[in-house]
C-alpha cells in the first residue's frame, strides 16, 4: 500500500462518507465524522504550536475520540507516542522525558496525574495538556483536503518496549512501514473490511491490526470500554457470547485461551471471519476450540521493530491434529534471513536467529544509537540496507514454512507482552531490603525469586507488589514472590534460570 494510513482514511471518507467507521458507547460515527473530528484535533494541536516532527503523547481509553485524536496528530506531521492509562506515573515520566513530548492528549480525570509526570521531566520546553472533553466545544473542523499528504518516510509512532538494562526503549516506526503492514494484512485477512473489536491498549503494537487494518479497508472498529486490558478482555468475552458477526479479531494466544475458558465448552456463538493470533508462540490446544466458528485462522509473527507482523501462517486442521503450528512465510516484500552463531546460513531443520529486512523495518530506537547499530546491522548482501536481528530462533520445516524455536537470550513473552526480566530485576533490587532478584515464567504466572540483603529479611509479597506497581506497568509485576538464600548459577557464573524454573514453588 502506497502513501499513509491517514491519507487512505481520508480517501475512504471522500468516497463513502456515510459508511460506519466506529461504534462505541456513545453511538456510531461515520467515516466523514471520523475525519471531521480528526480535523478538530489537528486545529487544536496546531494552535498549541505543534508542528511536523514534534511528539504528541496520547493517554486515552478505547473510544472513537482516541482514533480522531491520533489521525489529527498525524495530519500535523507529529509523531504519536501512546501512553497506557493503566501504567504508573513513573513510567509516564520516563516516556515523556525520553520522547520530549510537545503535548499530551488525555481525559480530564487523568490530566492532573499527567501534569505531575510532565513536571518531573528534564527541562525541554513546555508540554501542553489537552483534555479530550474540550476539543469538540472549542474548535471547528477545517477542510481535510487543506492539509498536505503525510510523508511516508516520516515517523508515525514510537512504541516503548521492555529493556534488558532496566530502561525501556522506544521503537520508531515510519508511516510507510505502517502502511505496508496494513496493506498486506488487508490483502491476506478476509475479514479486514468487517467489524473489528478493539480490546487491547493503544500502546500495544498488536492493536494496530484491530484499528488501522479495518479503517484502511472500509471496516468498522468496535471499542470495548475500559482502560484496563483485562476489562477489555472481559468485554470481548461478553461480545463473543452473542451471535454477532466479527470481521477481524486480533488476540494473543494466552488471551485466546482465557476467552475459551470464559465461554465454556460450547464455545462462541459469534461468527469470526479472520482470527489473527500473535504476540507469543501458539499451541494447538489454544486454537482447537475456535476452528468450528472461524473462517480463517492465522498465526502472525513479528516484533515491534518490524511493524506488527512480517511472517504469517494459515492454521489448518491438520496443523492442530499434528500439534505443530508453523509461523509461516514472509509478508510480500519482506525478506527473512536465518543465521547461526557464526553468521552462516543453518542447514535444513537447524535453528538460526531470525533476521528481518524489507519495507516494514523500523527506523531504530529513539535516542539509543548504539543499540540501534547493534540490533539493526547492515544487510549482508545489499550495501546500504539494514536488517533487524530479532533474537528469536526459527527453522525451516519440511513443509517450507518457518517454525519458531525459542530465544537466544533471556527475553520472554508473557500474555502477549515482550518482557525483559532484567527490567523487573533492576527495579526490584532498588528496594532497600533486596540484595538480588530473578524473574522467570512458571506455567501461567511471573514468579520472582528474592535474596534479602545480608542480615535482613525479605519484604512481604504485598509490599513488593506495591513497590513494583508504582514503577512498572501491570504486565511486569510478578504474581508470586519466593524468598531464597541464593540464586543458582551455571558453571560459568551466570544466573541459571532453568534451575529456578525446576524448583518447587
Amino acid at each position: 500500500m502506497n502513501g499513509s494510513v491517514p491519507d487512505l482514511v481520508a480517501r475512504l471518507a471522500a468516497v463513502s462518507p456515510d459508511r460506519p467507521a466506529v461504534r462505541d458507547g456513545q453511538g456510531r460515527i461515520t467515516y466523514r465524522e471520523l475525519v471531521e473530528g480528526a480535523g478538530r484535533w489537528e486545529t487544536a494541536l496546531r494552535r498549541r504550536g505543534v508542528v511536523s516532527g514534534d511528539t504528541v503523547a496520547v493517554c486515552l481509553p478505547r473510544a472513537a475520540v482516541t482514533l480522531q485524536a491520533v489521525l489529527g496528530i498525524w495530519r500535523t506531521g507529529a509523531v504519536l507516542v501512546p501512553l497506557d492509562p493503566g501504567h504508573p506515573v513513573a513510567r509516564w515520566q520516563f516516556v515523556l522525558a525520553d520522547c520530549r513530548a510537545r503535548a499530551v492528549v488525555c481525559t480530564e480525570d487523568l490530566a492532573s496525574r499527567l501534569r505531575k509526570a510532565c513536571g518531573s521531566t528534564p527541562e525541554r520546553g513546555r508540554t501542553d495538556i489537552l483534555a479530550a472533553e474540550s476539543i469538540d466545544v472549542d474548535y471547528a473542523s477545517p477542510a481535510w483536503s487543506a492539509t498536505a499528504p503525510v510523508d511516508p518516510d516520516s515517523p508515525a509512532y514510537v512504541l516503548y518496549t521492555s529493556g534488558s538494562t532496566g530502561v525501556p526503549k522506544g521503537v520508531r516506526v515510519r508511516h510507510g512501514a505502517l502502511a505496508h503492514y496494513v496493506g498486506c494484512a488487508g490483502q491476506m485477512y478476509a475479514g479486514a473490511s468487517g467489524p473489528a473489536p478493539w480490546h487491547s491498549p493503544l500502546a500495544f503494537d498488536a492493536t494496530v491490526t484491530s484499528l488501522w487494518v479495518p479503517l484502511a479497508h472500509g471496516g468498522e472498529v468496535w471499542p470495548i470500554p475500559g482502560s484496563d486490558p483485562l476489562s477489555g478482555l472481559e468485554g470481548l468475552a461478553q461480545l463473543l457470547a452473542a451471535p454477532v458477526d466479527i470481521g477481524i479479531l486480533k488476540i494473543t494466544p494466552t488471551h485466546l485461551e482465557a476467552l475459551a475458558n470464559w465461554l465454556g465448552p460450547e464455545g462462541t456463538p459469534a461468527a469470526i471471519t479472520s482470527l489473527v493470533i500473535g504476540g507469543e508462540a501458539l499451541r494447538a490446544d489454544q486454537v482447537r476450540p475456535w476452528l468450528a466458528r472461524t473462517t480463517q485462522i492465522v498465526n502472525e509473527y513479528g516484533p515491534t521493530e518490524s511493524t506488527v507482523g512480517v511472517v504469517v501462517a494459515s492454521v489448518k486442521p491438520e496443523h492442530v491434529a499434528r500439534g505443530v503450528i508453523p509461523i509461516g512465510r514472509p509478508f510480500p516484500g519482506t525478506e527473512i534471513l536465518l543465521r547461526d552463531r557464526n553468521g552462516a546460513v543453518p542447514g535444513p531443520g537447524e535453528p538460526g536467529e531470525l533476521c528481518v529486512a524489507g519495507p516494514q523495518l523500523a527506523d531504530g530506537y529513539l535516542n539509543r544509537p548504539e543499540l540501534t547499530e547493534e540490533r539493526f546491522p547492515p544487510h549482508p548482501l545489499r550495501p546500504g540496507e539494514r536488517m533487524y536481528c530479532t533474537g528469536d530462533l526459527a527453522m525451516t520445516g519440511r513443509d517450507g514454512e518457518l517454525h519458531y524455536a525459542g530465544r537466544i537470550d533471556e527475553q520472554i513473552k508473557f500474555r502477549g507482552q515482550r518482557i525483559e526480566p532484567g527490567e523487573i530485576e533492576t527495579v526490584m533490587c532498588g528496594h532497600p531490603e533486596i540484595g538480588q532478584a530473578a524473574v522467570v515464567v512458571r506455567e501461567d504466572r511471573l514468579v520472582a525469586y528474592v535474596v534479602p540483603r545480608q542480615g535482613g529479611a525479605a519484604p512481604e509479597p504485598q509490599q513488593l507488589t506495591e513497590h513494583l506497581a508504582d514503577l512498572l506497568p501491570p504486565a511486569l509485576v510478578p504474581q508470586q514472590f519466593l524468598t531464597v538464600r541464593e540464586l543458582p548459577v551455571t558453571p560459568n557464573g551466570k544466573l541459571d534460570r532453568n534451575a529456578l524454573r525446576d524448583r518447587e514453588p
Side-chain angles (χ1 to χ4, degrees), residues 242-268:
V244 296
D245 291 328
I246 303 295
I248 186 168
L249 172 60
K250 177 67 173 287
I251 199 164
T252 69
T254 299
H255 287 159
L256 188 71
E257 189 174 7
L259 280 178
N261 292 334
W262 283 343
L263 292 167
E266 296 183 0
T268 174

Side-chain angles (χ1 to χ4, degrees), residues 7-22:
D7 289 333
L8 185 60
V9 173
R11 289 198 292 270
L12 282 168
V15 173
S16 303
D18 296 324
R19 189 181 184 100
V22 186

